[in-house]
Amino acid sequence: MTSELLLTIAAYLLGSIPTGLLLAKAAGVDIRNSGSGNIGATNVYRTLGRTVGILTLVGDCLKGVVPVVAATYLGMSDNWIAAVGLAAFLGHVYTVFLGFKGGKGVATALGVFLAVSPAAVGSALLIFVAVVWKWRYISLGSIAAALAMPGMVAVFDSRPPVVIMAVIIALLVVWNHRENIKRLQAGTESKFKA
């Protein structure tokens, strides 16, 4: 149990590393004072361009992949694998390094789910792409994919702790997009431009 607990704490700390903030600072920008003020890949992409945006996406995704793969490799139970994945996600959303304020968690959740249920990710990714292609809103695509994920995980994975983790993550992703939802309703949300 000691190793499981240590890995869960490590997952939270890894998830807490503010990838977008660090990459933006390296480019001379405090991303919290630019665009939407969010430290995630979408705001970094809009503010600093494709390269830094993609690096942020990959970095945030790896924060979810690495600890879950480690938990799986170490033969931890499904309960602990789900706890480690949730800890990495919570680290990104409530980072200890920024006063427990972080990103919306989409990319880190993507990493967590890539490690536990790649087939579910593939299905949710199709939903994300279809929504963004049709309406051009990254936030709407993220919300749709997040809401679909628990069902997809239940279909392709069916481990109860992992499904519960997916439900918690989906609810938090939607909650973290509440301002985007208001802007979508008002017709003021920024559209994606490739």
Side-chain angles (χ1 to χ4, degrees), residues 127-151:
I127 292 169
F128 173 83
V129 169
V131 170
V132 173
W133 180 79
K134 173 75 175 170
W135 289 286
R136 311 301 292 175
Y137 295 114
I138 295 287
S139 58
L140 186 60
S142 298
I143 292 165
L147 290 173
M149 187 58 76

Side-chain angles (χ1 to χ4, degrees), residues 23-54:
L23 289 171
K25 280 202 173 187
V29 174
D30 187 340
I31 199 66
R32 296 170 296 182
N33 299 322
S34 303
S36 68
N38 190 271
I39 64 170
T42 301
N43 190 41
V44 173
Y45 178 93
R46 287 183 176 139
T47 304
L48 294 168
R50 179 174 298 178
T51 301
V52 184
I54 290 172

Side-chain angles (χ1 to χ4, degrees), residues 49-135:
R50 179 174 298 178
T51 301
V52 184
I54 290 172
L55 286 173
T56 301
L57 176 67
V58 171
D60 285 346
C61 186
L62 285 173
K63 295 188 308 188
V65 170
V66 171
V68 175
V69 167
T72 304
Y73 177 78
L74 293 171
M76 293 183 181
S77 70
D78 293 341
N79 287 334
W80 280 109
I81 290 170
V84 166
L86 186 58
F89 171 81
L90 291 174
H92 178 79
V93 175
Y94 304 107
T95 171
V96 68
F97 303 122
L98 298 176
F100 300 100
K101 294 179 182 176
K104 293 177 182 170
V106 175
T108 304
L110 171 64
V112 169
F113 292 120
L114 276 172
V116 295
S117 186
V121 170
S123 300
L125 190 59
L126 289 175
I127 292 169
F128 173 83
V129 169
V131 170
V132 173
W133 180 79
K134 173 75 175 170
W135 289 286

